[in-house]
Amino acid sequence: MKKHIRNAVYRTLHYSGLSAALVKTAAKPFGKNSCIILVYHRIVDDSSVYLDKGSVVHHHLSDFVDEIPYLKRTFQILSMDDIVDRISSGEGFDRPTIAITFDDGYLDNYTLAYPVLKAHEVPATIYLATSLIGTSGKTWTDQIEVALLATKKRSIVLPFLYEGKELAISTVEQKRDLSISVAKALKEIPDADRRGRLLEMFRALEVRADIIEDPDGRLMLNWDEVKEMAANGITFGSHSHTHPILSRVPLLDAQEDIKRSKQVLEERLGQPINHFAYPNGRVEDFSDELRDYCQKIGFSSVATVIYGTNGTESSPFCLKRVGAVSPLWMMSGELMRYFV
Ligand SMILES: [Zn+2]
């Protein structure tokens, strides 16, 4: 279906209340398989401080504020502990069900998302990349963004991209497109090579390391914020320690990185950490060995970003998730699609 026709259909179905009604009635044949785990990353309200990569990565607060009450009206919202219990016990889901998850551990999850979740008493899970928590460190994709926003250069040559062609970066759109292309290219190569190419890029942009690591520009949560949320209905899971693409590092290093993250979280929070989500999470970003390892060290679930619903047929160690799209009529239409 052409995009504009699809959007018109989504809008009509949403504003007439039909998409919500369809989810409720059409979910019956799906019965036990009607659980969608939504994945968010950042919740944002100031567009000058990031390069907008779409709603799954940069989700606007104004959309989030509309979505949470809608989701609460239309679906049953369960915690990840409950989702895993329902799957493992074979009980499944008697109603269309949603779980809300966030990857990485951004500060805005506390400042912007948490007040909304709390006001509506909605459970959520945040998967933390533990090495970044309580530091001014950033994920490597955020480092790319910060460097591109800070640079005075109007063009750049990167030997590893587009055969070294000179690329214009004088507008925000060009910077955003370049950040997406670089991230895409660097996700496909071994982790050790990725670090070298990043440094190469920062040198070419003539951006100082202290700008990339600016403590005033803290992007991630600190442990006080994590503890406060943990005491108030938010579940914390592991998203690895250093957030590499785990299939691009040697297996033993990847296992160590996962274990370290679980240990750090358990020490900091004084409770078992049951849930894990792979960084990036596509099929090519993990392996059977990593899945088995997560089970062996005591996780009760592992989440991917393979899109789809979950139910009694699913393995809790290969949960599917769905990206949180916006605005609300789009989310409502996309969620409906899984049930009709
Ligand atoms: Zn991540």
Side-chain angles (χ1 to χ4, degrees):
M1 205 188 325
K2 287 220 170 69
K3 248 187 192 169
H4 66 275
I5 302 177
R6 179 202 65 188
N7 290 353
V9 171
Y10 279 1
R11 264 197 213 99
T12 310
L13 288 176
H14 176 70
Y15 289 113
S16 64
L18 260 177
S19 41
L22 274 169
V23 166
K24 286 179 183 165
T25 50
K28 280 187 190 138
F30 287 78
K32 295 180 169 188
N33 290 313
S34 57
C35 169
I36 290 180
I37 304 174
L38 278 179
V39 55
Y40 293 85
H41 293 77
R42 297 195 62 181
I43 300 294
V44 292
D45 66 349
D46 173 4
S47 58
S48 66
V49 293
Y50 62 92
L51 295 170
D52 198 339
K53 292 197 209 128
S55 59
V56 181
V57 180
H58 293 115
H59 205 93
H60 288 264
L61 177 63
S62 56
D63 292 316
F64 191 71
V65 164
D66 288 345
E67 283 152 24
I68 295 301
Y70 172 78
L71 292 172
K72 201 175 167 181
R73 278 197 308 277
T74 313
F75 296 85
Q76 150 175 260
I77 305 184
L78 294 180
S79 67
M80 283 305 294
D81 281 334
D82 289 340
I83 300 277
V84 172
D85 281 350
R86 297 282 191 102
I87 291 173
S88 307
S89 68
E91 184 186 350
F93 305 94
D94 52 347
R95 295 167 50 195
T97 299
I98 288 270
I100 292 170
T101 69
F102 297 82
D103 280 6
D104 303 330
Y106 285 100
L107 170 58
D108 52 53
N109 293 180
Y110 174 75
T111 54
L112 302 178
Y114 172 56
V116 180
L117 295 166
K118 205 173 163 192
H120 293 278
E121 295 177 336
V122 164
T125 295
I126 304 177
Y127 295 102
L128 299 180
T130 40
S131 74
L132 299 173
I133 302 306
T135 76
S136 57
K138 297 177 178 67
T139 66
W140 61 268
T141 46
D142 286 328
Q143 290 178 3
I144 293 171
E145 266 188 64
V146 169
L148 280 167
L149 283 167
T151 188
K152 302 239 167 4
K153 304 277 287 184
R154 299 180 63 80
S155 71
I156 184 176
V157 172
L158 292 172
F160 63 85
L161 202 68
Y162 304 126
E163 294 160 343
K165 203 174 120 217
E166 184 172 17
L167 305 163
I169 45 167
S170 52
T171 68
V172 171
E173 288 72 28
Q174 288 166 339
K175 289 180 179 190
R176 184 203 54 215
D177 292 348
L178 182 69
S179 74
I180 293 168
S181 305
V182 171
K184 203 166 164 228
L186 298 190
K187 279 175 183 177
E188 308 304 327
I189 62 172
D191 198 61
D193 297 347
R194 196 240 319 143
R195 289 161 206 258
R197 293 201 178 160
L198 266 188
L199 290 176
E200 211 176 294
M201 178 174 179
F202 299 152
R203 269 198 301 273
L205 290 172
E206 295 171 8
V207 174
R208 295 197 322 267
D210 60 335
I211 290 176
I212 294 165
E213 294 294 319
D214 178 10
D216 293 334
R218 173 166 75 95
L219 277 187
M220 312 310 284
L221 292 164
N222 68 29
W223 288 108
D224 286 340
E225 292 151 356
V226 171
K227 282 179 193 161
E228 185 189 330
M229 289 192 279
N232 288 283
I234 306 294
T235 302
F236 285 90
S238 160
H239 191 46
S240 83
H241 190 58
T242 61
H243 201 271
I245 308 269
L246 290 163
S247 59
R248 310 274 174 210
V249 295
L251 180 61
L252 286 177
D253 294 352
Q255 291 173 333
E256 189 52 41
D257 199 278
I258 296 171
K259 189 165 82 186
R260 177 123 186 248
S261 169
K262 191 174 194 291
Q263 281 168 347
V264 168
L265 273 161
E266 288 179 346
E267 273 164 29
R268 291 280 187 171
L269 295 180
Q271 62 189 53
I273 296 300
N274 299 324
H275 308 287
F276 179 78
Y278 297 114
N280 222 40
R282 305 163 304 170
V283 170
E284 59 268 42
D285 301 326
F286 57 85
S287 63
D288 291 353
E289 287 89 349
L290 290 170
R291 177 203 59 208
D292 294 346
Y293 182 74
C294 288
Q295 188 167 6
K296 188 179 132 196
I297 64 169
F299 286 114
S300 59
S301 84
V302 175
T304 69
V305 289
I306 301 168
Y307 280 18
T309 62
N310 302 282
T312 47
E313 312 281 288
S314 311
S315 160
F317 296 96
C318 193
L319 294 173
K320 293 177 177 166
R321 292 193 288 172
V322 169
V325 293
S326 64
L328 180 56
W329 57 260
M330 177 74 88
M331 177 180 274
S332 132
E334 286 290 307
L335 292 177
M336 174 198 68
R337 260 187 31 186
Y338 286 98
F339 295 104
V340 293

